[in-house]
Amino acid sequence: MSANPSTFSQRQLKGGENLKKILARLFIQQNIILPEIDTKLITITEVRISPDFKHAKIFFMPLAGKEIDKYSKKLNEYALEIKKIASKEWTAKFMPNLKFVKDESFEYAEKIENLLLKDKN
């Protein structure tokens, strides 16, 4: 999947937004309970779905970016269980396989901001 959002179809974008809302609601309401992590502390920032709707890359960030490796490991370990719970609200024909990925866009934005501030001084 490309990082350029303009290369995604309307169907992919709509499906991604729908899945993002479903997962966010399930995590906030703690309908998904995972060992060692509090799902209320997870922010789903973006969901990218493959053109065939078989795979979804879920970009997430735990509160304050703490223990991200632990969160990533647990989310991917329990991805099948999360998929089963989320599929109850999913309306498309197939529920994609879920892969949770750390959202690095905040770090990248901070890096750019620091570079810009450095150039000003």
Side-chain angles (χ1 to χ4, degrees):
M1 287 183 270
S2 173
N4 185 354
S6 65
T7 61
F8 295 108
S9 70
Q10 281 298 114
R11 183 173 171 258
Q12 285 173 275
L13 294 171
K14 188 175 177 181
E17 277 302 307
N18 188 27
L19 186 54
K20 176 182 170 184
K21 289 176 187 175
I22 290 169
L23 291 172
R25 184 172 45 254
L26 292 173
F27 285 167
I28 289 169
Q29 295 173 350
Q30 289 194 306
N31 293 345
I32 297 173
I33 299 173
L34 302 174
E36 301 176 32
I37 64 172
D38 184 356
T39 58
K40 287 190 296 186
L41 302 179
I42 298 170
T43 300
I44 305 294
T45 56
E46 183 180 359
V47 175
R48 295 183 188 163
I49 298 182
S50 64
D52 61 3
F53 266 59
K54 290 188 178 181
H55 304 282
K57 194 181 280 190
I58 293 97
F59 292 87
F60 77 96
M61 180 63 70
L63 186 68
K66 294 181 181 177
E67 301 179 315
I68 194 144
D69 293 331
K70 176 177 147 183
Y71 276 79
S72 182
K73 182 180 176 190
K74 287 295 175 186
L75 287 168
N76 284 304
E77 186 178 325
Y78 289 92
L80 185 59
E81 286 82 0
I82 296 168
K83 175 183 172 176
K84 287 178 185 176
I85 295 168
S87 69
K88 293 174 183 160
E89 295 185 36
W90 184 248
T91 56
K93 187 174 184 179
F94 299 105
M95 178 70 183
N97 293 319
L98 308 178
K99 170 130 176 81
F100 291 88
V101 180
K102 170 187 170 186
D103 187 347
E104 297 178 345
S105 62
F106 297 106
E107 290 174 4
Y108 182 74
E110 186 177 1
K111 182 179 176 182
I112 297 297
E113 186 176 345
N114 288 337
L115 288 171
L116 291 172
L117 290 173
K118 184 178 171 184
D119 284 347
K120 275 187 173 180
N121 296 334

